[in-house]
Each structure stands twice: as C-alpha cells, then as structure tokens.
C-alpha cells in the first residue's frame, strides 16, 4: 500500500519502492518504509511519512470521472451498512474513490467502467491504495452485463451513473434478500427516474436525501457557517430488496 510523503503543505501518494522527483530533489522510498519515518531527498529536504487513509484517496488519486466526496461515501456506508466480507456491485468506477473506500472497509467490490482509459486509471488507483486484490475493475457498460451478474448475489449495489435507473430495474435479481441499493446523482431528474424504477421493481424503504454540508468558521469575530464552498453535492437514494 502507498504512503503519503508530507513536506509542509505538500503531499504525495507514493508506493514503497518508487522514486519521488520534485523540485525538492529525488527521494527513493524504501520497500520497508513505515508511517512515522522521516525520509530525505538527495538535496537534504525532509519528508514525513504518513499512512494512507480514506480521504487521501479523494485528494490524491488520478482523476477521471468526478469522484464521490467522502461525506457522500459516509452516508452510503451508514445507510447500507456495508461491512467487511460484503460483496458489492459498483458502477461506474470513474476515479474509483468509492470502490477503494469500500474495499478498505473490507468489502469485495466488482465495479464496471464503460471507458477503457478510465478503467485503466482506476486499476492503477486500486494498486496505489493497496486494494487491487479486493476490487475487480471490469471494462464495460454495466447495463449490458446484468444477465451475467444475476447469479452473483451482491449484498450492496452502488450506482453513480446517469443511467442508474436502468440498473435499478434489475436490482431484485442482483441483490441478496435484505440487501441495499444506493444511487448517487447530482440531478433531481435522474434521481426521480431511480425512485420510480425502485418502486416499480418492488423494492422497499425507497428513500432519497439531498446531501448538504456546511463547514464552520471560528475566528476572533465569532463563529458561523463558512460563506465559501459548495453546499449541494447530490441526491442519494436508497432502497432495500425484500
Ligand atoms: C461520476 S463517475 C463515478 C465516480 C466514482 N463513484 C468515484 O467515487 O470515483 C461516473 C462514471 O461512470 C461511468 N459510466 C457511466 N455510465 C456507465 C455504465 N452504464 N456502465 C459503466 N460505467 C458507466 C462514466 O464513464 C464515469 O466514469
């Protein structure tokens, strides 16, 4: 698994054995690097070694499809109860932040990405995160593979695609009894399609949340929600297979 090399406010995600080259010099990361170590470049610049944690995936993965924000992943984990040993079907992979988070929590993830070049980047991101043995990144349109997946009995299905409603219609064939599907969308129209598909498929507990998070500012004048930043990221819909 990669480590974070930290120098002031700079951070780099680097696997053991790799070389980091920056304007601060060249740094060879030993195979046996440990969090807490201090490493020096050939110019004598010191880097502190931190262990990789979930938010580092969002901050340091190479980006392709817009990655899901940690706060939305938190809601998915809370609402679906996804846990170690669960089998998860995910689409689309995109950058792979959600897949890597779920695998780090102990789930076995099968994830579909329709763009071959995005799937290649996601596979490299899984290697960086040390979860390439628990995330199977498959290249392809998930809607064309639903028949093959019907026997696999997933505990959780996580969807982050514009055509998620098409998959939701097949969720009763994909999920174990009592399993959950989550659908993330930035748009209310796609969310409504997913809700209607879930109801038509006979899923229960169909519930949608808009996710809004406000950062707090504390300074000498007083305390208040930050006046900067994006409040809305998207809508999260959950439903259960009975
Ligand atoms: C918003 S990104 C997903 C981000 C991902 N959840 C993450 O956390 O990094 C959506 C991705 O889904 C892919 N996609 C869209 N429709 C798809 C489909 N039907 N099958 C597979 N991939 C699809 C897109 O190419 C894009 O890369």
């Amino acid at each position: 698994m990669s480590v974070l090399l930290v120098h002031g406010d700079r951070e780099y995600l680097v696997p053991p054995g790799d070389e980091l080259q920056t304007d601060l010099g060249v740094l060879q990361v030993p195979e046996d690097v440990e969090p807490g170590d201090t490493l020096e470049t050939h110019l004598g610049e010191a880097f502190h070694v931190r262990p990789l944690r979930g938010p580092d995936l969002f901050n340091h993965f190479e980006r392709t499809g817009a990655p899901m924000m940690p706060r939305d992943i938190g809601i998915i984990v809370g609402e679906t109860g996804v846990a170690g040993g669960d089998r998860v079907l995910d689409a689309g992979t995109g950058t792979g932040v959600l897949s890597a988070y779920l695998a780090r929590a102990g789930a076995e993830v099968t994830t579909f990405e329709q763009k071959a070049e995005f799937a290649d980047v996601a596979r490299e991101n899984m290697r960086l995160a040390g979860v390439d043995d628990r995330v199977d990144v498959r290249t392809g349109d998930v809607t064309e593979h639903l028949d093959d997946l019907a026997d696999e009995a997933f505990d959780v299905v996580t969807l982050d695609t514009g055509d998620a409603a098409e998959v939701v219609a097949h969720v009763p064939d994909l999920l174990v009894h009592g399993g959950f599907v989550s659908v993330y969308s930035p748009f209310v129209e796609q969310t409504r399609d997913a809700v209607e598909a879930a109801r038509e498929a006979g899923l229960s507990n169909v519930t949608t949340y808009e996710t809004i998070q406000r950062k707090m500012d504390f300074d000498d004048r007083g305390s208040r929600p930050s006046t900067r930043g994006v409040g809305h990221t998207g809508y999260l819909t959950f439903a259960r297979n009975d």
Side-chain angles (χ1 to χ4, degrees):
M1 186 198 308
S2 300
V3 290
L4 268 190
L5 301 181
V6 183
H7 179 96
D9 57 5
R10 296 198 204 179
E11 295 180 356
Y12 301 91
L13 191 60
V14 187
D18 274 21
E19 193 176 79
L20 175 69
Q21 296 189 21
T22 69
D23 57 319
L24 300 172
V26 179
L27 191 158
Q28 181 65 43
V29 182
E31 290 287 355
D32 60 354
V33 65
E34 293 281 350
D37 288 352
T38 299
L39 304 175
E40 282 194 4
T41 68
H42 80 292
L43 299 177
E45 296 284 351
F47 280 78
H48 178 62
V49 179
R50 260 195 216 147
L52 177 147
R53 304 284 304 176
D56 303 319
L57 311 172
F58 181 81
N59 292 329
H60 296 291
F61 269 179
E62 183 180 342
R63 289 189 180 191
T64 56
M68 197 174 282
M69 293 191 72
R71 76 195 205 198
D72 295 317
I73 294 171
I75 296 171
I76 290 175
V77 171
E79 292 292 324
T80 65
V82 63
D86 276 358
R87 299 196 60 215
V88 177
L89 172 64
D90 174 63
T93 317
T95 299
V97 171
L98 176 61
S99 290
Y101 251 97
L102 298 180
R104 280 177 52 80
E108 298 283 333
V109 183
T110 301
T111 179
F112 278 80
E113 172 52 55
Q114 65 185 2
K115 294 186 180 157
E117 65 276 23
F118 284 17
D120 288 343
V121 172
R123 286 187 196 100
E124 175 58 16
N125 283 341
M126 297 309 122
R127 188 184 75 83
L128 278 175
V131 292
D132 43 336
D133 57 337
R134 288 203 295 284
V135 182
D136 178 8
V137 180
R138 299 190 191 171
T139 306
D141 180 335
V142 69
T143 63
E144 293 172 6
H145 293 270
L146 296 173
D147 288 342
D148 327 334
L149 295 165
D151 298 329
E152 296 204 24
F154 294 99
D155 299 287
V156 175
V157 174
T158 55
L159 302 170
D160 183 1
T161 67
D163 56 7
E166 249 182 89
V167 182
V168 171
H170 295 263
V171 151
D173 301 328
L174 301 170
L175 278 178
V176 296
H177 181 77
F180 279 94
V181 58
S182 77
V183 178
Y184 174 87
S185 174
F187 302 113
V188 77
E189 291 84 357
Q190 291 168 359
T191 301
R192 189 177 175 97
D193 288 347
V195 167
E196 285 172 0
R199 288 181 181 156
E200 275 167 33
L203 300 176
S204 65
N205 304 94
V206 183
T207 309
T208 299
Y209 302 100
E210 180 185 7
T211 72
I212 297 173
Q213 179 174 281
R214 293 195 303 180
K215 201 171 174 182
M216 292 293 292
D217 284 342
F218 297 95
D219 62 27
D220 293 343
R221 293 175 305 154
S223 314
R224 62 178 176 178
S226 171
T227 53
R228 286 182 300 155
V230 181
H232 169 89
T233 48
Y235 301 97
L236 276 165
T237 298
F238 299 93
R240 195 163 196 183
N241 188 35
D242 281 329

